[in-house]
Amino acid sequence: MEKTILEINNISKSFGSYKAIDNVTFKLQKGDIYGLIGSNGAGKTTIMRLITQLSPLKVGRIKLFDKKINQQALRHIGAVIETPASFDKLTVQQNLKLIALQRGINDTKRISEVVEFVGLQEKLTTKAKNLSLGQRQRLGLGIAILPDPDLLILDEPINGLDPSGIIEFRKLLEKLNQEKQVTILISSHILTELYQVSTKFGFIYKGQLIKEITKSDLDKANQSGLILTVTDVAKAAQVIDTNFNDKFSVLDEQRILVHSLNIDSSKLNEKLIRNGVSVISLAKEEKSLEDYYTKLIGGAEND
Ligand code: ATP
């Protein structure tokens, strides 16, 4: 059975007369990597600040492990939100020691474990202010995971990372998620990356959660696959049906969409030709999270 880790119920937040968060409800199940998507000022950071009590919640409820969130419950959350989590003048090791002290972690091995996990072994004695941006992000992640949290909240964690840094960061998150079953709430404007890492998405628009979708439903909605343009669509459909297990849809009198990017296209081409169907073109149709987002937000703006 799915276990709910975080439950956000009808939360709202206003700054003066400005409603930054408007009646938002969503859940994170154990093992989810939930990607929060929205334009600048949509409300993503505010939601994360409300969860972690950096901003007081006055309207709505937030529960962690089915209990109202409080200081005790916050111990199960590791977060990197906005500002760097580290102290500039302290070294990597000192920063981690300080957090260990604050969190009552006596196990010295835990610090080495975390340092190794985030790949900062060679920077132990470097002051945080002298770390590169990517190394600083890693230190932030190290600080967040030091207490072994069940839930990790990361606001724009890959901002400013170079391409290989992004890939490594993704691998770290996947490792935490798969090996330690850490549930993750993450925001990013780099949608290609967020798509790769997340299992579910929540779209925030002007303080409201306008859509939630799992990755597999997103793929279906995006109709990714192979588009075949052929001379005889009926015959082609018959050939695909008898020779392949993949689902397909006839789009019009010339085109068929095979709902799979893994189909062996040369074999498909060969079968069609052998059955007398001329293939005019074969093209991969890969709509992205970005396409979905643009359409969704475009729709919301026209409402
Ligand atoms: P970005 O992608 O740019 O980081 P975001 O989705 O994280 O944006 P938030 O930082 O949550 O957006 O801000 C949501 C809205 O709330 C913005 O319009 C912002 O100006 C406003 N806001 C946030 N904090 C405060 C505050 N302390 N006082 C006044 N307005 C605030």
Side-chain angles (χ1 to χ4, degrees), residues 48-102:
M48 291 177 166
R49 289 174 58 83
L50 288 167
I51 298 170
T52 48
Q53 296 196 333
L54 289 170
S55 177
L57 177 71
K58 303 220 173 93
V59 183
R61 278 177 301 121
I62 298 180
K63 283 181 173 180
L64 187 73
F65 299 123
D66 211 25
K67 287 199 187 102
K68 193 173 167 229
I69 214 155
N70 55 23
Q71 284 304 318
Q72 184 63 27
L74 284 179
R75 290 179 164 266
H76 295 277
I77 301 182
V80 184
I81 300 175
E82 281 176 341
T83 47
S86 53
F87 289 101
D88 269 359
K89 289 186 180 160
L90 300 185
T91 65
V92 166
Q93 192 166 32
Q94 286 166 339
N95 264 293
L96 289 165
K97 272 191 177 161
L98 182 72
I99 299 297
L101 210 67
Q102 281 173 355

Side-chain angles (χ1 to χ4, degrees), residues 13-16 18-21 36-49 55 82 155-156 159 187-189 204 206-207:
K13 178 83 188 179
S14 295
F15 297 107
Y18 178 71
K19 202 161 196 179
I21 301 298
L36 268 188
I37 302 170
S39 53
N40 291 134
K44 305 172 298 291
T45 304
T46 306
I47 291 173
M48 291 177 166
R49 289 174 58 83
S55 177
E82 281 176 341
D155 191 16
E156 306 270 356
N159 247 4
S187 76
S188 176
H189 290 293
I204 309 290
K206 294 189 177 168

Side-chain angles (χ1 to χ4, degrees), residues 115-137:
V115 167
E116 201 173 316
F117 188 84
V118 296
L120 284 177
Q121 299 94 314
E122 281 160 30
K123 295 287 164 189
L124 270 182
T125 54
T126 305
K127 286 186 179 169
K129 66 174 179 189
N130 296 329
L131 294 174
S132 76
L133 183 57
Q135 290 163 346
R136 208 180 266 243
Q137 306 273 53

